[in-house]
Amino acid sequence: MKREESDPVVAIDGPAGSGKSTTARALAKSLDWTYLDTGAIYRTLGWLAVREGVSLDDENSLVALCPRLETLSFRWGEDGSLRVFLGDVDVTRAIRGEEAGRWASDVSRHPGVRQALLDLQRSFTRKGPLIAEGRDTGTVVFPKARWKFFLTASLEERARRRLREMGLEETPQSLETIKRAIRERDLQDSTRTVAPLMKARDAIEVDTTGLSPEEVVEFIRRLMKEG
Ligand code: DC
């Protein structure tokens, strides 16, 4: 694709714990670009559904909840962390755990839900150049993104990172539990019929195993400069 036909978007996709969020956030901050965590949208929908007693299998009722996500916003906290708000409610903590990840994976299987959330995700480009992260940002949401990356890492490392992210202690047992949860979520995300987790044909794959967050960001920035 010619550069002028592409959109000023960096699409960063990959499975849970591949380093997407850390990389995308650091990039957004250092470039002062808008940041979109598409997983947070699905997580918030899952959380809202559970709170309202809507079954995660009930596609029509889930679609009916989607307009409520239009008030979702991302704000940087004073300590540099990212806060997710639904209207005035800070949902950051509520949506971060592995359980909320599973709810997100469940609601995101439904074609109607994915369709209903497309415009919301695309509307973030109105604010300027964008760093978007998720599962299908390079394939479906922003197919014309100028830069596309697909991050991977070994299951072991991804599980360790998730434990750290959630502030949980690493024990052989907790590591096994989180590995199982990640494996199940990967399987569901990559085998669903609509917009499954997969690398876009024109995405650059980056194996982040053994790399520090700084090294990943540096690598991506270098590739972005090159074109
Ligand atoms: O990136 P995450 O762990 O916050 O995502 C949570 C779930 O949301 C993930 O398991 C599948 C779903 N998701 C999706 O289907 N499409 C996206 N673009 C982002 C997330």
Side-chain angles (χ1 to χ4, degrees):
M1 194 190 312
K2 283 207 222 90
R3 204 179 158 85
E4 56 273 20
E5 288 169 4
S6 61
D7 297 328
V9 172
V10 184
I12 304 182
D13 293 307
S18 57
K20 285 177 317 223
S21 297
T22 313
T23 307
R25 286 173 198 188
L27 267 180
K29 273 197 204 155
S30 65
L31 297 169
D32 198 22
W33 288 11
T34 305
Y35 167 65
L36 168 62
D37 176 355
T38 60
I41 297 181
Y42 290 102
R43 283 172 182 266
T44 306
L45 178 62
W47 168 79
L48 196 58
V50 169
R51 212 180 61 150
E52 308 250 321
V54 169
S55 158
L56 304 182
D57 293 327
D58 181 351
E59 181 164 6
N60 289 340
S61 302
L62 290 170
V63 169
L65 285 180
C66 287
R68 295 193 26 204
L69 296 181
E70 278 161 25
T71 63
L72 187 121
S73 61
F74 301 104
R75 303 179 202 167
W76 299 111
E78 281 181 4
D79 59 353
S81 67
L82 186 90
R83 317 292 316 169
V84 184
F85 282 81
L86 188 62
D88 290 335
V89 182
D90 185 342
V91 297
T92 317
R93 272 184 72 84
I95 65 166
R96 273 305 150 213
E98 198 47 45
E99 190 181 28
R102 183 67 205 196
W103 297 336
S105 182
D106 287 347
V107 298
S108 72
R109 282 171 303 157
H110 302 293
V113 166
R114 301 201 75 87
Q115 185 61 38
L117 294 174
L118 265 185
D119 286 347
L120 171 65
Q121 295 173 75
R122 290 179 178 154
S123 71
F124 277 76
T125 54
R126 285 196 216 119
K127 300 172 190 167
L130 182 73
I131 312 276
E133 60 140 309
R135 300 291 186 290
D136 63 342
T137 66
T139 50
V140 176
V141 188
F142 303 108
K144 286 164 79 182
R146 190 165 302 161
W147 302 277
K148 296 183 186 179
F149 298 96
F150 191 82
L151 270 48
T152 59
S154 70
L155 180 63
E156 188 82 12
E157 177 138 344
R158 289 162 54 206
R160 292 221 159 86
R161 288 178 186 165
R162 284 296 287 149
L163 282 178
R164 237 177 291 135
E165 238 172 63
M166 293 187 291
L168 299 175
E169 194 191 339
E170 184 185 320
T171 62
Q173 219 172 11
S174 66
L175 199 60
E176 241 352 274
T177 308
I178 198 85
K179 268 185 176 167
R180 197 174 327 114
I182 289 181
R183 230 186 272 119
E184 278 172 15
R185 195 139 69 85
D186 278 357
L187 184 69
Q188 175 154 294
D189 293 345
S190 49
T191 54
R192 68 177 173 229
T193 45
V194 242
L197 166 68
M198 64 173 192
K199 179 180 150 325
R201 247 186 312 127
D202 49 353
I204 296 174
E205 185 161 340
V206 184
D207 184 346
T208 68
T209 312
L211 295 182
S212 69
E214 293 76 21
E215 285 170 323
V216 180
V217 170
E218 197 38 52
F219 182 67
I220 287 185
R221 284 195 68 147
R222 215 172 43 235
L223 291 174
M224 286 174 69
K225 272 198 204 124
E226 285 169 10

